[in-house]
Amino acid sequence: MSGAGFFDYGTDDAPEVRAPMFLGDASVEDWALLVDHCERRRFHRGEVVVHFGEVDRSLFIVIEGELETVAERRGRTRRLSPAPAGSVVGELGFLDGRPRSASVVAATDGELLRLSISSFESLAAMNPRLGRSLLFDLGRILAGRLRSLTEIVMSR
Amino acid sequence: MSRTDPFPNYLAMPRTVSLRFWHIVRFVSLAVFLAVIVGGIVRPTDTLTFFWGIVIPILPAVFLIAPGSWRNVCPLAAANQASRNLGVTSQVAAPKWLREHGFSIAATLFVGIALTRKVLFNRNGVALTVLLAAVLVGAALGGRFLKGKSGWCSSICPLLPVQRVYGQSPFVGVANSHCQPCLGCTKNCYDFNPRVAYVADMHDPDQGFRGPRRLFVGAFPGLVLGYFLVPDAGRLSDVQVYGRSLAWIAAGIAVFAVLDAFGRFSPNRLPPIFGAAAFSLFYWFGSRKVAKALGSLLGGRWTGIVWPVRIAAFALAAVWLVRSWLVERRYVEEVAVAAPVRVDLGRARTALGGSAGADDGAVEIEFESKIVKVSSGTTLLEAAESGELRIESGCRMGVCGADPVAVTSGYESLSPIRREEADTLERLGLGFPNRMACTARAEGSCSVSLQPDRTSTPLSNTPSFEPDPSVRRVVIIGNGIAGVTAADFVRRNHPDCEIELVGRESHELYNRMGVARLIHGRSAMQGLYLLPAGWYERNRVTLWLNTRVASIDRQGKTVRLGTGQELGYDRLVLATGGRATVPEIEGFGASGCFVLRDADDAIRIRAYAQEHDEHRAVVAGGGLLGLEAAHALHEFGMSVTVLERSSRLLRNSLDAAASEMLRSYFEALGIVVVTDAETVRVEGDGRVEAVVTAQGHRFETEILLVAAGVTPNLDLPRQCGLDVARGVIVDSSMRSTDPSIFAVGDLAEFEGRLWGLWPVAVTQAQIAAVNIAGGSRTYESGVPTMILKGVGLDVVSFGRVEPAEGEIQLTDRGEGGHTYRKVVVTGGVIVGGVFLGFGEHAQAAQDAYDSGRQLDDDEIARLAAGDWSPFGGRKDLAPTR
Ligand SMILES: Cc1cc2nc3c(=O)[nH]c(=O)nc-3n(C[C@H](O)[C@H](O)[C@H](O)COP(=O)(O)OP(=O)(O)OC[C@H]3O[C@@H](n4cnc5c(N)ncnc54)[C@H](O)[C@@H]3O)c2cc1C
Ligand code: SF4
Ligand code: FES
């Protein structure tokens, strides 16, 4: 498990901080193909980008501004985690197609890319290597979380 | 909404006191420090007592309660950061050895100094002076050369290891006032994110990083105990002092290691216990020393403070311990639930064409519910689809009428309206500011409503000829696009005649091209209808739905309906289209066998697949329709096999390379494509179990969908004795061999060809209508554009796709192996093209083809070199060779 996300120094040459990168190996051309398959849209502060419980198989990449994941528990809204520019959000619903487990709200104005599962399918068909690395990266990230969850269980 | 970030970094922490305040305090602390240095020589006894007996004993409590305040006040930090403040630091990144071993150096220094206290520093003022002067110079030099605090405070400062242990769950958070801005000099920087730094250290995946830090905290209580329990030098030799102290340390480490090895604890379970133990032990013994120091400096008896200090220290340590554990739990939850997944924004932004938000050839299209950003030249339809908005589509070329939208602002930044689109808008009764989304390309930002503006005044071109008064009754058979277009244009050109429109299906005109979506989509027929409500009444077209024409009496000029009624006509239009061709397939008709032509076919397939929970389908036929249907079944969730009789897909429209790519695209989607596979037999007992090919292969499946082409509906023309070959033979005015009877659409054969395409049906119907109403227009056949749509990859071909003698072809394969562009050129003029993907270039090349535009030598040279900028688009992404 790595907490490198808490040390986002905002500099380019941060030392040894290597948070797991999503599509770290993708070239600009790969990104261009990805962008071609994405919806690109602006969001406004306070806008609910993903609704809790909704079924929507898509993945979000924050390009500008900040989103945040919020969960409702016992009637109280709890902020789970901020998703600043450069974050990927919504991977669970994207992968399993089950209802969204949390809402995602815009903390600021900004812009995002949205990749729906069907666009992903044609992206992956067009460039299987890119499709595979996208899935692998998601898999790697989820594996990391699963490990952490194991730690939670063990530490109780 | 509560917005408490459990782990704010220093930039996000509230700043209760100003930076100025800290500057001043720092001067004071530096002055005190210098005073101690001087005092070590001039008044050694008091200085030693003050330093070791008062200052040092206070520090652990400060570290535990408000560690950030010490980070801001520490005189060594002030010395370290002086160069930065004065602007004279060289700010080089710390060398690798320092980054890797800084902590171990710091810990070693700390232990070394602590052990040496007994033999030297506690008693020798000069030694203390030298020590303090040395660390001051070290801190200052570190800051002179190295970046941020990496030259001292965050690397080799001997107090850093202690600060990190004790400061892991501050009671009072004090924001870092040094680093303005952060230079990212240190891994898991304490000053950057104090509440999380230590847990992050303990959870670090790198054993080499985590190890020394754990070793230190394990050693810490032993070090404290040893310091207080080993007698002072004087009673023991120096070597004995060191030896016994080290033994205590070793004992502490051993306890830690044993617990760590057998305890199955999470990484930061033990360290706070050891930290709390060290802290409590320190004050248990230290309280007495402090009392003594106070007594000797100020006089009087101070033993009264001993127990209160001990109790306070215990309580503090206990609360701190629990807090530290909770921090870890919270940390694990945060990281586990929400470890942010990051992307390389730089590359993403380059791909977006410059920094987001800047003017980068992107345009914003504001739909009611959201704003979609697309590159200039994108159609409104593509924009809406990329935003997953509810929009229908069919032809994607402006002729079917599926996607009218109202442009509420920025109308002028859209590409101009062409003929087909204008006709379609007119049929829909829509004028300014409406557009067909598929043919309106946004060259600038605009706002769009997906509901067309029905209050608009339709564009109308009044006919340029007098209507023929002898035509009073027009009967049209077939309520497809050919029949409806015929009715529409007869009405436009002939305001008075009666129009009867007879259709066998029970639906008003719908988008036949979109029926595949009924298989996988949820919205059923909604959205497939192409006419605004009341269209038939408004145009005074008498509509007979669910009514079949049974026969035609050419002498009596009447048609007989299946209901027995008769309708007389002056002009008759045959627009009965076609039905799905079913080749000789033994056993076809068992349940599970389908074709796809009408909306009802698609609805039946969806119902069947759900009722029987089927998950395998075979599509016989790899043409446009077969591929679209296969994709629809795949989207529905079935595993699909396409059986194509010939040796490759879309043989007549694609060259071999494009065919092969299309095939691999489908296979990559998970759709199996088998070529040279002619379906001849269905196996199963009343229900499909497998299909067998002429080649002898057997494919198990529960659903068979045959997509083998269209057979024109020729019963009526045959019955009434018109000339028919493969279709009803018509001349260029769309007349059959009976001058009162016209045939248009999928059943009309002109110059030996039947296209079976929507735009052809529209054009033919318009021409027939003009000729019926008294005008004169003739039809010219050309090779229409082939578009494969709805499969996630745009496939377009037009004209000749293989070069003839003396023609050249310019081809380019895109990255990933599934995109392709090719034009065939003769004497600078495009005579054909094939595109997989590259939609924008396809459109531009097709425009050049339609208009016969001459490409100049430079453009051809560029195309040959793989630079497709002559057809517009993003030059920055042109492949480099
Ligand atoms: C799934 C699918 C996808 C397609 N995709 C494309 C595409 O991408 N591009 C393209 O250009 N074309 C496409 N086509 C073809 C296009 O839909 C046809 O070319 C077009 O619909 C022809 O129109 P039509 O009016 O001539 O015939 P039809 O649409 O077949 O209409 C004929 C109507 O006449 C009725 N009728 C028949 N006999 C009688 C009778 N005796 N009495 C009364 N009514 C009768 C029929 O029920 C039918 O409603 C596609 C077709 C399908 C099925
Ligand atoms: S990492 Fe940033 S906050 Fe931490 S010491 Fe270096 S410059 Fe200061
Ligand atoms: S999809 Fe636009 S008119 Fe057919």
Side-chain angles (χ1 to χ4, degrees), chain B residues 109-341:
Chain B
L109 286 177
F110 176 75
V111 174
I113 294 170
L115 298 194
T116 310
R117 275 179 69 178
K118 284 189 193 297
V119 296
L120 184 62
F121 298 129
N122 279 358
R123 296 179 290 164
N124 188 327
V126 179
L128 179 64
T129 298
V130 171
L131 175 68
L132 296 187
V135 291
L136 190 66
V137 171
L141 283 181
R144 166 68 186 77
F145 294 108
L146 299 184
K147 184 159 103 170
K149 290 183 164 186
S150 64
W152 186 262
C153 313
S154 299
S155 57
I156 56 172
C157 164
L159 284 183
L160 178 69
V162 184
Q163 294 182 41
R164 293 201 73 131
V165 173
Y166 286 161
Q168 60 180 284
S169 42
F171 289 88
V172 180
V174 178
N176 172 4
S177 73
H178 277 297
C179 306
Q180 309 290 337
C182 171
L183 302 173
C185 70
T186 304
K187 174 168 170 172
N188 291 358
C189 174
Y190 180 86
D191 297 297
F192 187 81
N193 199 330
R195 282 185 204 275
V196 89
Y198 193 74
V199 209
D201 279 359
M202 291 300 113
H203 280 262
D204 198 89
D206 177 5
Q207 161 67 22
F209 180 83
R210 196 176 65 219
R213 289 161 171 81
R214 295 179 71 77
L215 186 65
F216 176 79
V217 74
F220 202 14
L223 174 73
V224 174
L225 261 185
Y227 178 78
F228 290 109
L229 296 184
V230 175
D232 277 355
R235 284 198 266 156
L236 293 177
S237 74
D238 290 359
V239 179
Q240 279 175 315
V241 170
Y242 281 115
R244 289 206 195 175
S245 305
L246 285 172
W248 276 107
I249 292 177
I253 291 176
V255 173
F256 185 87
V258 168
L259 292 176
D260 202 24
F262 295 103
R264 294 177 66 95
F265 296 119
S266 68
N268 203 32
R269 212 6 102 99
L270 283 182
I273 299 182
F274 277 63
F279 187 83
S280 315
L281 289 170
F282 182 82
Y283 284 105
W284 181 266
F285 297 106
S287 50
R288 274 214 304 255
K289 307 241 168 194
V290 174
K292 223 168 105 189
L294 286 171
S296 86
L297 285 177
L298 305 174
R301 274 181 62 83
W302 291 81
T303 42
I305 66 162
V306 168
W307 275 103
V309 167
R310 285 177 176 176
I311 290 166
F314 260 118
L316 212 53
V319 178
W320 173 89
L321 173 66
V322 174
R323 281 170 56 93
S324 300
W325 281 342
L326 290 177
V327 165
E328 180 185 34
R329 175 171 298 188
R330 190 69 202 267
Y331 171 86
V332 174
E333 278 175 6
E334 287 283 322
V335 173
V337 184
V341 183

Side-chain angles (χ1 to χ4, degrees), chain B residues 810-860:
Chain B
L810 305 166
T811 58
D812 178 43
R813 281 166 189 255
E815 218 236 337
H818 295 289
T819 50
Y820 179 67
R821 43 192 168 180
K822 161 170 166 176
V823 286
V824 179
V825 180
T826 307
V829 176
I830 296 180
V831 295
V834 181
F835 290 83
L836 269 66
F838 298 114
E840 217 187 324
H841 294 155
Q843 178 69 50
Q846 209 184 319
D847 288 348
Y849 165 76
D850 289 342
S851 65
R853 176 165 85 83
Q854 183 90 26
L855 300 177
D856 61 32
D857 290 348
D858 172 55
E859 286 180 311
I860 292 186

Side-chain angles (χ1 to χ4, degrees), chain B residues 811-812 821 861-869 878-881:
Chain B
T811 58
D812 178 43
R821 43 192 168 180
R862 273 195 283 160
L863 289 172
D867 169 8
W868 285 64
S869 55
T880 41
R881 314 212 160 163

Side-chain angles (χ1 to χ4, degrees), chain A residues 9 22 26 39-41 125, chain B residues 186 342 347 371 373 386 818:
Chain A
Y9 296 126
F22 176 67
E39 167 199 352
R40 182 176 172 192
R41 53 175 276 219
Chain B
T186 304
R342 311 302 307 266
R347 268 176 268 171
I371 301 175
K373 207 160 177 178
S386 85
H818 295 289

Side-chain angles (χ1 to χ4, degrees), chain B residues 381 392-403 424 436-438 513:
Chain B
L381 176 61
E392 289 296 327
S393 69
C395 59
R396 309 186 78 91
M397 53 205 296
V399 295
C400 74
D403 55 352
T424 307
M436 299 315 300
C438 57
M513 294 181 284

